[in-house]
Amino acid sequence: MTDSLDERIAAVAFNADGLAPAIVQQWDTHEVLMLGWMDAEALRRTLTTGRVTYWSRSRQEYWRKGDTSGHIQLVKSAHLDCDGDALLIEVDQVGPACHTGLRSCFDTADLDAVDGVAGEERP
């Protein structure tokens, strides 16, 4: 990519709180691991250090995944969606991604959705 780092970050349509959702996916299996939030500085750190950094909405501080748990996320690639308001961060996850100790934050509650079939619509 030939755009400067500042231009790439400026392309993100951050919300009114200055944040964008970051979907985190295992790079080789495409397993969705978690969702976090990034502001411009967290994204800058992620793009330049090789480790994922988030903005913690509850603690109001930056946190680099794995600094306390050892369950680090090594950046493989980062993408901006077509609307510019969501990020996809592909990582090599070391250990569980979820603070509960599970591999994925989405391994907990199945909402029992109806399985859709192409060409069929259900009421």
Side-chain angles (χ1 to χ4, degrees), residues 9-97:
I9 293 171
V12 180
F14 294 101
N15 68 18
D17 295 324
L19 300 172
I23 301 160
V24 182
Q25 184 177 49
Q26 176 64 32
W27 74 277
D28 53 353
T29 65
H30 305 292
E31 175 186 16
V32 176
L33 300 172
M34 60 176 283
L35 174 103
W37 293 90
M38 291 184 179
D39 67 1
E41 180 58 26
L43 180 56
R44 177 181 305 282
R45 293 178 188 188
T46 297
L47 296 176
T48 60
T49 66
R51 295 264 312 272
V52 183
T53 298
Y54 301 98
W55 175 254
S56 171
R57 296 177 301 161
S58 60
R59 294 189 312 268
Q60 295 290 293
E61 66 184 16
Y62 294 104
W63 60 282
R64 191 169 68 163
K65 184 70 171 171
D67 277 354
T68 57
S69 68
H71 304 147
I72 64 173
Q73 293 175 337
L74 301 170
V75 177
K76 293 297 187 178
S77 66
H79 307 273
L80 187 59
D81 80 338
C82 60
D83 295 323
D85 61 358
L87 303 159
L88 173 63
I89 311 296
E90 292 184 307
V91 303
D92 190 8
Q93 177 70 47
V94 176

